[in-house]
Amino acid sequence: MAPALAARALEIAVDGDPTFRSRYNEAALRNLLRDAEVFVERLALCVAADDPYFLEQFADQTATIFRRRHVGMDDVIRLLEGLRSAARGVLSPAELGAADRAIDDGIRVFLWYRQIAGDARKKNPILQALYKGIGS
């Protein structure tokens, strides 16, 4: 069940942003699918315990790994929102509250990392060229 839910979450994330496929090659999409499977497992722990701790802590521990893999925090947030949508078809109404709280806390962590990493601002191409150098 977890791999199917993760695949659906990634599919929703990719469908929500037309530039998603152009930013990531096939190997990177497979990595994101594997990450989505771990998000599903963490979400299951959160729902079982009715505590968002597991997903929130996982988000805090993996934000730097996503940075190292050149995955923007907006894309990870989009993946979590896809997981929220995909989970609606699987979870009962009583479980949806715990799932929503866990996903909201995970998104809050990624938004914080987005802020400190500079994703929140569009990069000026002229300044980027000057920073990198003309021939780079």
Side-chain angles (χ1 to χ4, degrees):
M1 182 64 116
L5 191 60
R8 182 65 186 137
L10 182 60
E11 184 179 312
I12 291 169
V14 169
D15 288 345
D17 183 7
T19 63
F20 208 93
R21 281 200 187 275
S22 64
R23 287 194 309 267
Y24 301 107
N25 61 16
E26 195 63 33
L29 286 173
R30 273 187 264 128
N31 281 337
L32 286 173
L33 178 61
R34 191 178 62 222
D35 296 332
E37 289 177 11
V38 178
F39 281 140
V40 169
E41 292 171 7
R42 291 297 174 140
L43 183 62
L45 290 172
C46 292
V47 169
D50 194 16
D51 185 6
Y53 170 82
F54 301 104
L55 190 58
E56 181 183 18
Q57 289 302 307
F58 183 71
D60 190 41
Q61 295 165 3
T62 58
T64 55
I65 295 170
F66 284 119
R67 279 279 168 224
R68 197 171 331 137
R69 288 179 17 208
H70 303 288
V71 176
M73 295 295 106
D74 288 338
D75 293 336
V76 181
I77 291 169
R78 204 168 280 114
L79 185 61
L80 281 177
E81 287 294 349
L83 179 58
R84 183 193 313 264
S85 297
R88 296 216 181 283
V90 180
L91 298 176
S92 70
E95 297 168 330
L96 282 176
D100 283 339
R101 283 191 302 278
I103 290 172
D104 287 341
D105 283 358
I107 287 173
R108 191 180 71 249
V109 169
F110 286 127
L111 282 173
W112 186 79
Y113 278 100
R114 174 183 181 260
Q115 165 192 325
I116 65 170
D119 279 353
R121 295 182 297 280
K122 279 285 194 194
K123 294 179 181 169
N124 184 330
I126 296 170
L127 291 178
Q128 290 297 313
L130 291 174
Y131 178 72
K132 289 183 180 178
I134 301 298
S136 298

